[in-house]
Amino acid sequence: MSFRFAPKSLMHRNAALVAVLLLWSASCNLQEPAVIDPLDPGVPTASDTLAVTPQDHSMQVGDSARFGAPDTTVEGTPLTGQVQWIVLSGNGATIDGTGMFRSTQSGDFTVQATRSGRRGRSRVRVSSPGATLTGVRVAPASITLPPGASFTFGVTGVRSDSTTVPVTATWTATGGTVDASGAYRAGNAAGSFRIIATEQGGTFADTAIVTISPAAPTLEAVLVTPASVTLTPGAMQQFSAVGRMSDGASSAVSVTWTATGGSVTAAGAYTAGASNGTFRVVATQQGGTKADTSAVTITATPPAPTLQAVEVTPASVSLVAGGTQQFAAIGRMSDGSTSSVTVSWTATGGSVTAGGSYTAGATAGSFRVIATQQGGTRADTSNVTITLPAPTLQAVEVSPNSVSLAPGASQQFSATGRMSDGSTSSITVNWSATGGSISGSGAYVAGSTDGTFRVLAVQQGGTRADTATVTIATPPPTVTLQAVEVSPISANVLTGGSQQFSAIGRMSDGSTSSVAVTWTETGGTITGAGLYTAGSTAGSFRVIAVQQGGTRADTALVTVSAPAPPRQAGRSSPATRALNARGPQHCSAV
């Protein structure tokens, strides 16, 4: 906080401002001290009439600053004599007779000048060389305000040498509003809220806590009960009054009772007069202005009672699904008596007869039975809560319900309970089996005999049961490829001639099967389909078929022969000539 002297007009305005602040502080229940000098607590500011310059000076350790004091007071009174300089607070600081100030330590100091009995002061902030900003501090750190009150917060920067410097901050608030200068206005909601000052252009921030105390509820209205009544002459009626508070609650209230057309006691007991007519009973807040009025109709012949309401009994009931309940309806009359009334019945969540007999439906929940005045609008409702009965076990279900196994194979069976509501539930069963053995946990091991057998689960302590079918069958032996067979097993081919080969698989049971083979050969060529073509060289060669993806193979022998040389004309051997002489003959190749 800086302290400056000002001309008299400014001092008058400042004094007015101080007075306003004091009045505001009192209205906010804040404990503020009397206005004192911020530089020298306990000394009234009125004695400081010498304007020392400069004011609120900042410097570093080792620097010097010269202060001066004028030869007149701030009111313009001339002063004579030498100025006496002293340092009022802080260690390590000195000031000489010329006003030259020096300090060997950082901190806040107060310099005072005295001349002709008048004095003036200035604050000096001395920081260490290279001191840096280490944070910001909001003042005050906490405050309690009523809803809608205002308060201006301050913020200073704290340096690494513990000195303070002015900072510019951005203000934000919860639970109220705050402007750019730190002026905060509390909201209407009670609670604890925060005022945050964040260094502009930086990251330092500090928070103050504002507690907004709820305003005490106030009386909003006086309410008289009953609001209206019809009486015969001389009849009595007790009236009462309550206070309706600003928070919506009701509260006892002291009232003064007055009445026309009769008399009323201080306790609200009204006695009707002898004259017919419409009159008033008035309750007025004692010590206040809130009031309420009840209308009183006085008539020698009371009016015939009229139906005021239909009332259903019972007002609420709980039933299980499918349960029944008989409802009844009566009429409540204007004179407080009851009367029979004809109603139409409707219902939700179930069905209701014309006579009011209700049957609950199958769905759980909260439902209604309504009785409506026939030919009128009066109605009443009963609440019906429908609950579902606890589900019961309907069946035992074994899983799987059928299975095929080889002799000695195992199968785990399980059993669940099927409930009356369709859900399933765990259940304890006793297991038994034919054609094999089964453990207490349902682990079945097939026997050695083929056939159809049963696994049975029976509810422990009950009669529910289920059966699974087990088919035990010895699997047929596995048929495997035993050999590859090439056909034909041998062939005679002329050079350049061809021969089609094929391959079949010979299985372990003696049957044959198609088989995929890879063909290779010698002395010629062969296609992937087994078509062999002999080369130009005569001799014995092989055609090999190897099982694809396996090791089975077979070989065929191929004899490749050169074709016979052509005959020469006119040169027949004696044998040929002899044959020709015998005529045509059938020859077979050797």
Side-chain angles (χ1 to χ4, degrees):
M1 175 179 179
S2 61
F3 181 86
R4 297 180 182 273
F5 291 99
K8 183 182 294 184
S9 60
L10 292 179
M11 292 184 66
H12 290 166
R13 284 192 295 173
N14 289 342
L17 178 60
V18 168
V20 171
L21 289 174
L22 284 173
L23 289 173
W24 175 87
S25 175
S27 69
C28 292
N29 297 320
L30 301 176
Q31 298 297 320
E32 294 286 351
V35 179
I36 59 175
D37 182 355
L39 300 178
D40 188 8
V43 180
T45 57
S47 62
D48 291 337
T49 57
L50 193 60
V52 174
T53 58
Q55 283 287 313
D56 283 337
H57 183 66
S58 296
M59 56 187 287
Q60 292 187 349
V61 173
D63 292 345
S64 60
R66 185 177 299 280
F67 289 85
D71 55 3
T72 61
T73 66
V74 293
E75 298 92 346
T77 303
L79 300 174
T80 59
Q82 296 294 320
V83 178
Q84 305 296 321
W85 295 97
I86 61 171
V87 179
L88 290 177
S89 61
N91 296 322
T94 60
I95 189 167
D96 61 18
T98 66
M100 184 64 72
F101 176 87
R102 294 181 177 86
S103 178
T104 60
Q105 296 184 20
S106 60
D108 284 356
F109 302 92
T110 302
V111 172
Q112 176 176 290
T114 305
R115 186 174 188 180
S116 300
R118 304 298 180 93
R119 66 174 182 170
R121 283 165 291 179
S122 176
R123 171 168 289 171
V124 187
R125 294 182 175 89
V126 181
S127 60
S128 300
T132 58
L133 187 69
T134 59
V136 297
R137 184 177 300 138
V138 175
S142 63
I143 192 172
T144 298
L145 298 174
S150 299
F151 186 83
T152 299
F153 289 86
V155 60
T156 56
V158 180
R159 295 167 63 90
S160 55
D161 60 355
S162 300
T163 59
T164 59
V165 294
V167 293
T168 302
T170 299
W171 295 90
T172 56
T174 63
T177 59
V178 64
D179 64 16
S181 66
Y184 172 78
R185 179 174 293 278
N188 294 323
S192 181
F193 305 96
R194 295 184 303 151
I195 306 298
I196 306 105
T198 304
E199 172 199 9
Q200 287 188 7
T203 60
F204 294 115
D206 192 26
T207 300
I209 302 300
V210 178
T211 301
I212 300 178
S213 57
T218 57
L219 181 67
E220 294 291 322
V222 171
L223 303 178
V224 173
T225 303
S228 64
V229 68
T230 299
L231 301 173
T232 57
M236 298 184 63
Q237 174 67 46
Q238 178 64 52
F239 288 91
S240 62
V242 296
R244 180 69 64 193
M245 308 306 290
S246 56
D247 59 358
S250 297
S251 177
V253 61
S254 297
V255 297
T256 299
W257 293 96
T258 56
T260 62
S263 62
V264 64
T265 68
Y270 175 80
T271 302
S275 301
N276 292 346
T278 300
F279 305 97
R280 295 185 305 154
V281 171
V282 185
T284 304
Q285 173 195 9
Q286 290 184 8
T289 59
K290 306 296 184 184
D292 193 23
T293 300
S294 177
V296 178
T297 300
I298 300 177
T299 176
T301 303
T306 58
L307 181 68
Q308 298 296 300
V310 170
E311 297 178 0
V312 173
T313 56
S316 63
V317 67
S318 293
L319 298 173
V320 296
T324 61
Q325 174 66 48
Q326 179 64 52
F327 288 91
I330 60 171
R332 180 66 62 183
M333 310 306 289
S334 56
D335 61 356
S337 64
T338 60
S339 174
S340 61
V341 62
T342 303
V343 297
S344 297
W345 294 96
T346 57
T348 61
S351 60
V352 65
T353 68
S357 178
Y358 176 81
T359 301
T363 303
S366 181
F367 303 98
R368 297 182 302 156
V369 171
I370 307 108
T372 304
Q373 172 195 9
Q374 288 188 8
T377 59
R378 307 294 185 186
D380 193 23
T381 300
S382 176
N383 292 321
V384 178
T385 301
I386 299 177
T387 58
L388 299 181
T392 57
L393 181 68
Q394 298 296 299
V396 171
E397 297 178 358
V398 173
S399 179
N401 60 6
S402 66
V403 66
S404 294
L405 298 175
S410 61
Q411 173 68 46
Q412 179 65 51
F413 288 91
S414 62
T416 57
R418 180 67 62 183
M419 310 305 290
S420 56
D421 60 357
S423 64
T424 60
S425 175
S426 61
I427 185 174
T428 304
V429 298
N430 293 322
W431 294 97
S432 61
T434 61
S437 62
I438 192 166
S439 70
S441 62
Y444 177 82
V445 179
S448 59
T449 303
D450 289 0
T452 301
F453 303 98
R454 294 188 308 155
V455 169
L456 181 64
V458 180
Q459 172 195 10
Q460 283 189 11
T463 60
R464 305 293 183 184
D466 193 22
T467 301
T469 301
V470 179
T471 301
I472 300 176
T474 302
T478 303
V479 178
T480 59
L481 180 68
Q482 297 296 303
V484 171
E485 297 179 359
V486 175
S487 180
I489 194 63
S490 65
N492 293 314
V493 182
L494 295 176
T495 56
S498 62
Q499 173 68 46
Q500 179 65 52
F501 289 90
S502 62
I504 60 171
R506 182 65 62 184
M507 308 307 289
S508 58
D509 61 354
S511 64
T512 61
S513 175
S514 61
V515 63
V517 298
T518 300
W519 295 96
T520 58
E521 46 42 61
T522 62
T525 61
I526 194 167
T527 67
L531 180 61
Y532 174 81
T533 302
S536 58
T537 303
S540 293
F541 302 98
R542 293 184 303 154
V543 170
I544 305 105
V546 180
Q547 173 194 8
Q548 288 184 10
T551 60
R552 307 295 183 184
D554 195 20
T555 302
L557 181 63
V558 180
T559 301
V560 179
S561 304
R567 295 177 183 177
Q568 294 183 2
R571 297 185 64 183
S572 300
S573 66
T576 302
R577 289 194 295 271
L579 289 173
N580 291 335
R582 289 190 298 175
Q585 300 291 322
H586 293 282
C587 300
S588 59
V590 178

